[in-house]
mmCIF file of all heavy atoms in Angstrom:
data_model
loop_
_atom_site.group_PDB
_atom_site.id
_atom_site.type_symbol
_atom_site.label_atom_id
_atom_site.label_comp_id
_atom_site.label_asym_id
_atom_site.label_seq_id
_atom_site.Cartn_x
_atom_site.Cartn_y
_atom_site.Cartn_z
ATOM 1 N N THR S 321 14.526 -11.248 -4.330
ATOM 2 C CA THR S 321 15.101 -12.287 -5.159
ATOM 3 C C THR S 321 14.270 -13.584 -5.044
ATOM 4 O O THR S 321 13.975 -14.264 -6.033
ATOM 5 C CB THR S 321 16.565 -12.548 -4.780
ATOM 6 O OG1 THR S 321 17.281 -11.327 -4.947
ATOM 7 C CG2 THR S 321 17.185 -13.601 -5.642
ATOM 8 N N HIS S 322 13.900 -13.907 -3.811
ATOM 9 C CA HIS S 322 13.071 -15.098 -3.549
ATOM 10 C C HIS S 322 11.734 -15.040 -4.314
ATOM 11 O O HIS S 322 11.250 -16.019 -4.836
ATOM 12 C CB HIS S 322 12.797 -15.225 -2.037
ATOM 13 C CG HIS S 322 11.650 -16.160 -1.705
ATOM 14 N ND1 HIS S 322 11.780 -17.546 -1.828
ATOM 15 C CD2 HIS S 322 10.394 -15.923 -1.264
ATOM 16 C CE1 HIS S 322 10.647 -18.097 -1.479
ATOM 17 N NE2 HIS S 322 9.812 -17.138 -1.118
ATOM 18 N N LEU S 323 11.189 -13.843 -4.442
ATOM 19 C CA LEU S 323 9.902 -13.644 -5.129
ATOM 20 C C LEU S 323 10.079 -13.561 -6.644
ATOM 21 O O LEU S 323 9.095 -13.524 -7.406
ATOM 22 C CB LEU S 323 9.186 -12.355 -4.618
ATOM 23 C CG LEU S 323 8.731 -12.422 -3.158
ATOM 24 C CD1 LEU S 323 8.216 -11.058 -2.761
ATOM 25 C CD2 LEU S 323 7.686 -13.511 -2.959
ATOM 26 N N GLY S 324 11.342 -13.517 -7.088
ATOM 27 C CA GLY S 324 11.597 -13.481 -8.525
ATOM 28 C C GLY S 324 11.690 -12.132 -9.118
ATOM 29 O O GLY S 324 11.632 -11.984 -10.345
ATOM 30 N N PHE S 325 11.808 -11.080 -8.312
ATOM 31 C CA PHE S 325 11.903 -9.705 -8.801
ATOM 32 C C PHE S 325 13.368 -9.279 -8.867
ATOM 33 O O PHE S 325 14.192 -9.648 -8.081
ATOM 34 C CB PHE S 325 11.163 -8.747 -7.869
ATOM 35 C CG PHE S 325 9.693 -8.991 -7.788
ATOM 36 C CD1 PHE S 325 9.090 -9.296 -6.590
ATOM 37 C CD2 PHE S 325 8.895 -8.934 -8.930
ATOM 38 C CE1 PHE S 325 7.730 -9.514 -6.505
ATOM 39 C CE2 PHE S 325 7.539 -9.165 -8.887
ATOM 40 C CZ PHE S 325 6.955 -9.456 -7.677
ATOM 41 N N PRO S 326 13.673 -8.384 -9.902
ATOM 42 C CA PRO S 326 15.007 -7.863 -9.949
ATOM 43 C C PRO S 326 15.255 -6.854 -8.832
ATOM 44 O O PRO S 326 14.315 -6.269 -8.265
ATOM 45 C CB PRO S 326 15.039 -7.162 -11.315
ATOM 46 C CG PRO S 326 13.634 -6.885 -11.650
ATOM 47 C CD PRO S 326 12.824 -7.943 -10.983
ATOM 48 N N SER S 327 16.540 -6.647 -8.497
ATOM 49 C CA SER S 327 16.889 -5.765 -7.374
ATOM 50 C C SER S 327 16.377 -4.342 -7.536
ATOM 51 O O SER S 327 15.956 -3.689 -6.594
ATOM 52 C CB SER S 327 18.404 -5.778 -7.189
ATOM 53 O OG SER S 327 18.719 -5.031 -6.020
ATOM 54 N N TYR S 328 16.416 -3.813 -8.777
ATOM 55 C CA TYR S 328 16.005 -2.457 -9.016
ATOM 56 C C TYR S 328 14.544 -2.245 -8.662
ATOM 57 O O TYR S 328 14.111 -1.129 -8.300
ATOM 58 C CB TYR S 328 16.322 -1.976 -10.434
ATOM 59 C CG TYR S 328 15.473 -2.654 -11.478
ATOM 60 C CD1 TYR S 328 14.186 -2.181 -11.765
ATOM 61 C CD2 TYR S 328 15.950 -3.725 -12.202
ATOM 62 C CE1 TYR S 328 13.415 -2.812 -12.735
ATOM 63 C CE2 TYR S 328 15.226 -4.337 -13.160
ATOM 64 C CZ TYR S 328 13.946 -3.865 -13.455
ATOM 65 O OH TYR S 328 13.172 -4.482 -14.399
ATOM 66 N N PHE S 329 13.729 -3.307 -8.769
ATOM 67 C CA PHE S 329 12.298 -3.162 -8.474
ATOM 68 C C PHE S 329 12.067 -2.820 -6.998
ATOM 69 O O PHE S 329 11.129 -2.087 -6.650
ATOM 70 C CB PHE S 329 11.567 -4.434 -8.845
ATOM 71 C CG PHE S 329 10.084 -4.376 -8.653
ATOM 72 C CD1 PHE S 329 9.313 -3.471 -9.404
ATOM 73 C CD2 PHE S 329 9.456 -5.176 -7.718
ATOM 74 C CE1 PHE S 329 7.947 -3.410 -9.213
ATOM 75 C CE2 PHE S 329 8.065 -5.092 -7.530
ATOM 76 C CZ PHE S 329 7.307 -4.187 -8.292
ATOM 77 N N ARG S 330 12.931 -3.324 -6.142
ATOM 78 C CA ARG S 330 12.840 -3.048 -4.692
ATOM 79 C C ARG S 330 13.019 -1.552 -4.479
ATOM 80 O O ARG S 330 12.214 -0.948 -3.684
ATOM 81 C CB ARG S 330 13.920 -3.836 -3.968
ATOM 82 C CG ARG S 330 14.044 -3.529 -2.508
ATOM 83 C CD ARG S 330 15.179 -4.383 -1.876
ATOM 84 N NE ARG S 330 16.431 -4.296 -2.579
ATOM 85 C CZ ARG S 330 17.357 -3.381 -2.290
ATOM 86 N NH1 ARG S 330 17.176 -2.482 -1.377
ATOM 87 N NH2 ARG S 330 18.506 -3.372 -3.012
ATOM 88 N N ILE S 331 13.975 -0.923 -5.136
ATOM 89 C CA ILE S 331 14.229 0.535 -4.986
ATOM 90 C C ILE S 331 13.062 1.313 -5.547
ATOM 91 O O ILE S 331 12.553 2.243 -4.903
ATOM 92 C CB ILE S 331 15.558 0.920 -5.737
ATOM 93 C CG1 ILE S 331 16.733 0.091 -5.218
ATOM 94 C CG2 ILE S 331 15.814 2.421 -5.601
ATOM 95 C CD1 ILE S 331 17.021 0.220 -3.779
ATOM 96 N N GLU S 332 12.608 0.951 -6.688
ATOM 97 C CA GLU S 332 11.483 1.619 -7.366
ATOM 98 C C GLU S 332 10.229 1.528 -6.483
ATOM 99 O O GLU S 332 9.529 2.546 -6.250
ATOM 100 C CB GLU S 332 11.215 0.944 -8.713
ATOM 101 C CG GLU S 332 10.103 1.499 -9.522
ATOM 102 C CD GLU S 332 9.911 0.776 -10.822
ATOM 103 O OE1 GLU S 332 10.887 0.162 -11.309
ATOM 104 O OE2 GLU S 332 8.786 0.781 -11.339
ATOM 105 N N LEU S 333 9.916 0.373 -6.009
ATOM 106 C CA LEU S 333 8.727 0.142 -5.187
ATOM 107 C C LEU S 333 8.837 0.901 -3.834
ATOM 108 O O LEU S 333 7.865 1.497 -3.373
ATOM 109 C CB LEU S 333 8.507 -1.342 -4.931
ATOM 110 C CG LEU S 333 7.202 -1.731 -4.202
ATOM 111 C CD1 LEU S 333 5.992 -1.227 -5.010
ATOM 112 C CD2 LEU S 333 7.100 -3.268 -4.035
#
Side-chain angles (χ1 to χ4, degrees):
T321 302
H322 164 72
L323 294 173
F325 296 121
S327 185
Y328 68 83
F329 184 64
R330 173 181 53 89
I331 305 301
E332 181 181 334
L333 188 58

